[in-house]
Amino acid sequence: RLLRACALDYTIVRPGVMSPDAVLSPKSLALADDGGDLKVSAIPHGTIADLCVEVLAYPNAARTTLCAMTVEEGEGADAYAE
């Protein structure tokens, strides 16, 4: 609550189960704003690291909580920036 009440810009990334062995299928990345309703799933560490860097370039990601998961192949995107 304190973070949300301050004037500081932030982005909270809530990943699924981070695993170095998780394999991404094509079009399988999904984001939900403010902890939206996504099924908890395995996601590679590197994918979350990339997302944390990518959000710095998107002002609309400021003051948000992003839930980052994988979905069934073809139901998502190849990259979070899409």
Side-chain angles (χ1 to χ4, degrees):
R1 292 183 197 183
L2 291 175
L3 181 60
R4 291 176 195 262
C6 76
L8 181 69
D9 284 343
Y10 64 88
T11 302
I12 297 170
V13 176
R14 297 180 63 202
V17 179
M18 292 176 52
S19 169
D21 302 322
V23 177
L24 291 178
S25 300
K27 305 271 184 213
S28 65
L29 297 176
L31 280 180
D33 189 23
D34 291 325
D37 194 24
L38 287 175
K39 181 181 174 189
V40 175
S41 57
I43 191 156
H45 292 112
T47 302
I48 296 300
D50 291 344
L51 173 62
C52 289
V53 172
E54 286 176 18
V55 299
L56 297 173
Y58 292 91
N60 61 332
R63 304 185 65 75
T64 62
T65 299
L66 299 176
C67 188
M69 304 288 175
T70 55
V71 292
E72 294 293 323
E73 183 175 334
E75 293 181 12
D78 284 324
Y80 284 123
E82 291 182 359

